[in-house]
Amino acid sequence: MDLSRRQFMVLGAVAAAGWSLRGSAFGGTPDGGDAGAIGDFAKDGVYDFRDRGFFLIRKGRRLVAQTAYCTHKQARIVQDGDGSFTCKKHGSHFSQDGKVTRGPARSDLPRNGISRDDRGHVLVDTSVVFKPGDFEKPGAFIDVA
């Protein structure tokens, strides 16, 4: 099918709008928001905010906000008992740090922007996305020690 430039631009705009609304489509909020006081995440582990589009993961001195959407078809993932994640829709499996361990997903899970406000609360911005090569950049994690 040949598309005119105009049709291509309209199709691209519709796809972008759908992508930006994916959190709302699954009942989440597009911007993540306030996840609570930093003291609420005192122990290593996974904290489930999947209804808001992310999981908080504390490991050592770092706290990260990992997306709650599979990289295959954007279905919501769930946490397994061992700290890993599974997409119930198509069976993709991810390690706790978001690496694909079983497909059909081919891409590791990205992380969302995370910060701490002046009250000591953790803020997550799901509109900010860090791909695996960017996990060391400012805003991809917070130091909790």
Side-chain angles (χ1 to χ4, degrees):
M1 175 172 97
D2 291 332
L3 295 176
S4 70
R5 183 176 188 279
R6 181 182 184 103
Q7 290 170 321
F8 178 79
M9 296 301 287
V10 169
L11 184 61
V14 169
W19 178 256
S20 69
L21 293 174
R22 77 191 186 285
S24 297
F26 292 104
T29 59
D31 64 353
D34 189 332
I38 194 76
D40 294 343
F41 312 104
K43 295 181 180 181
D44 282 3
V46 178
Y47 298 85
D48 190 342
F49 288 87
R50 134 183 62 150
D51 61 326
R52 293 171 56 191
F54 62 93
F55 292 93
L56 287 179
I57 302 172
R58 168 137 185 202
K59 187 172 183 181
R61 298 172 48 136
R62 285 198 173 175
L63 187 65
V64 301
Q66 185 169 271
T67 185
Y69 297 100
C70 182
T71 55
H72 174 238
K73 296 278 185 175
Q74 296 304 306
R76 205 174 276 175
I77 59 175
V78 297
Q79 180 188 4
D80 297 330
D82 62 357
S84 62
F85 301 94
T86 300
C87 176
K88 296 288 187 181
K89 190 163 187 173
H90 298 112
S92 292
H93 190 265
F94 304 88
S95 65
Q96 184 175 351
D97 60 356
K99 293 188 185 317
V100 176
T101 58
R102 183 177 67 235
R106 295 182 185 185
S107 301
D108 296 339
L109 296 172
R111 294 181 181 165
N112 296 121
I114 187 169
S115 62
R116 184 183 341 195
D117 69 11
D118 57 0
R119 300 173 302 144
H121 279 229
V122 176
L123 306 177
V124 176
D125 185 347
T126 58
S127 70
V128 175
V129 177
F130 292 93
K131 294 186 179 189
D134 298 331
F135 289 171
E136 295 300 316
K137 290 186 175 181
F141 65 92
I142 56 175
D143 189 357
V144 293

